[in-house]
Amino acid sequence: MPIQPTPPPIIPPAPPAIVAPAQPVVSPAPLAGAWIPTPRPWSQQAWLTSHEAFVTRAQAGPIDVLFLGDSISAHFPTGGADVWQREIEPLGNVADFGIDGDRTQFVLWRVQHGELDGTSARVVVLMIGTNNLATSTPENIARGVAAIVATVREKLPNAVVVLNAILPRGPADGPARAAAADTNARIQSLADGTHVRWLDPGAGFLDPSGNIDLALMPDRLHPSATGYGVWAAALRPVLLDALGK
């Protein structure tokens, strides 16, 4: 019987080479700071929608008085509706570009990206900085406010900027109150009395002991309807003068 040839050995295929997954390219974190313009990272789509609406309004035509800032500005037409309709609206074409929760860096980004363009605004009422108090130093908050004022002056050289002090916030002995006072002392020097006018209505929200009157500011941050009357009483004469009325 013939001898059968020995079959070749069965050699299993080599396992496929294991290729390590490519490491994602991690971009460096963007610079952050109270004075560095940046779009807001939270609720960004809603924030951008508001911004785009403001840009559209800016491009629609002349504005006499433009309010710019955070929730204190944003709530004025609704939270202080009677005061707004009686004291502010009759001043001419008035627009409110306030957004809840905004900080200096977000407003700076907004004014650098179209919210002033086309407005020919005669007066810009700036109220900003309170939302930076927990995350930034007074020095850096002041740098942010200065950058906003400089941008407004660049884009609207004929406008008057009414620079509002940060309103009192929290308990009289709390860190927010001290930080706001420190910031205000720094930004007051931005006012030249002509193109930039300083307005500090804060004392009107305090009782004789220095505590916030809860009838005027129930959460020690946002004015009530009556509280908006306190702001308007201080603001209206400045607006009338700036508008030549």
Side-chain angles (χ1 to χ4, degrees):
M1 182 175 182
I3 298 174
Q4 298 295 322
T6 303
I10 299 174
I11 301 174
I18 298 176
V19 179
Q23 294 298 314
V25 177
V26 179
S27 300
L31 293 174
W35 68 97
I36 299 172
T38 183
R40 199 166 81 179
W42 70 88
S43 300
Q44 191 171 94
Q45 189 52 57
W47 182 83
L48 286 172
T49 297
S50 294
H51 163 67
E52 290 161 3
F54 295 156
V55 171
T56 299
R57 173 62 187 91
Q59 294 172 347
I63 293 174
D64 293 307
V65 181
L66 173 62
F67 282 75
L68 183 66
D70 50 36
S71 58
I72 295 172
S73 294
H75 295 177
F76 198 164
T78 53
D82 289 343
V83 175
W84 179 269
Q85 293 165 12
R86 184 178 67 250
E87 305 290 347
I88 305 300
E89 279 189 349
L91 296 175
N93 294 320
V94 181
D96 192 314
F97 290 2
I99 298 182
D100 287 20
D102 255 12
R103 301 175 185 169
T104 54
Q105 59 267 42
F106 309 140
V107 170
L108 181 56
W109 187 93
R110 292 201 275 130
V111 296
Q112 290 183 352
H113 289 80
E115 291 193 15
L116 301 178
D117 302 342
T119 66
S120 300
R122 299 172 62 193
V123 182
V124 176
V125 180
L126 179 61
M127 173 70 81
I128 194 62
T130 192
N131 294 315
N132 291 89
L133 294 175
T135 57
S136 302
T137 65
E139 178 184 10
N140 287 340
I141 300 170
R143 290 175 68 187
V145 174
I148 297 169
V149 171
T151 302
V152 176
R153 293 285 300 118
E154 177 185 354
K155 288 180 172 289
L156 298 170
N158 296 321
V160 172
V161 179
V162 180
L163 176 57
N164 286 263
I166 299 174
L167 296 180
R169 178 172 184 166
D173 58 353
R177 186 76 71 86
D182 190 345
T183 304
N184 288 338
R186 296 170 186 271
I187 64 176
Q188 184 175 1
S189 64
L190 297 172
D192 62 9
T194 303
H195 297 294
V196 182
R197 304 190 189 183
W198 176 248
L199 182 67
D200 186 357
F205 290 88
L206 304 177
D207 66 20
S209 298
N211 297 308
I212 291 174
D213 185 336
L214 298 183
L216 303 176
M217 195 179 279
D219 62 354
R220 296 187 176 90
L221 171 60
H222 297 97
S224 63
T226 307
Y228 276 112
V230 172
W231 186 18
L235 179 60
R236 183 176 165 83
V238 180
L239 295 179
L240 287 172
D241 184 63
L243 293 168
K245 295 189 175 184

